Amino acid sequence: VQLQASGGGTVQAGGSTRLSCAASGLTFSSYVMGWFRQGAGKDREFVASINWDDYVTYYSDSVKGRFTVSRDNAKNTVYLQMNSLKPEDTAVYYCAAKRSRTVVGTQYDYWGQGTLVTVSS
């Protein structure tokens, strides 16, 4: 299984960017997909997740209303649209996959490498 995240970079505060995560080696349409992040010196934290069939989404309070998670099962790809970015959003962002029917919870089966998002003030 491979989860390849891309789209990181440096963005100004208040700006937007979109992360992508391309999955291979698994039946993508049967997995909940999640996004996590880890800032320097901080623990990894949950950001957002999306269910595999009804596309139900779930967000952390810190990003709710600013970030949107979506997926394209035909392309085996999950996205994270990040708007109104703040310096505290600076982190390495990871995508993950779990064989589950719930978008809640942080136990995932597979993890990708991270992509760094830096928000400059």
Side-chain angles (χ1 to χ4, degrees):
V1 174
Q2 285 195 331
L3 302 175
Q4 184 74 38
S6 60
T10 300
V11 185
Q12 285 194 330
S16 299
T17 193
R18 188 176 80 158
L19 305 182
S20 300
C21 175
S24 61
L26 76 171
T27 306
F28 181 78
S29 58
S30 297
Y31 281 77
V32 170
M33 297 300 296
W35 286 97
F36 292 76
R37 67 185 181 185
Q38 187 167 20
K42 299 181 181 179
D43 294 332
R44 185 173 62 194
E45 65 171 340
F46 169 79
V47 174
S49 58
I50 183 166
N51 207 347
W52 51 274
D53 57 352
D54 56 12
Y55 290 24
V56 167
T57 57
Y58 183 63
Y59 297 94
S60 68
D61 288 343
S62 61
V63 307
K64 195 176 299 181
R66 300 188 299 121
F67 291 10
T68 302
V69 59
S70 62
R71 65 190 295 158
D72 185 337
N73 285 348
K75 295 182 178 180
N76 286 6
T77 302
V78 61
Y79 305 96
L80 185 67
Q81 178 67 42
M82 308 163 65
N83 299 330
S84 302
L85 283 161
K86 306 174 181 180
E88 51 264 42
D89 294 318
T90 295
V92 176
Y93 284 75
Y94 300 88
C95 61
K98 63 174 178 177
R99 191 74 184 266
S100 173
R101 292 203 59 86
T102 176
V103 292
V104 179
T106 59
Q107 295 297 317
Y108 278 69
D109 301 316
Y110 303 105
W111 294 83
Q113 95 295 349
T115 185
L116 176 63
V117 175
T118 302
V119 183
S120 61
S121 57

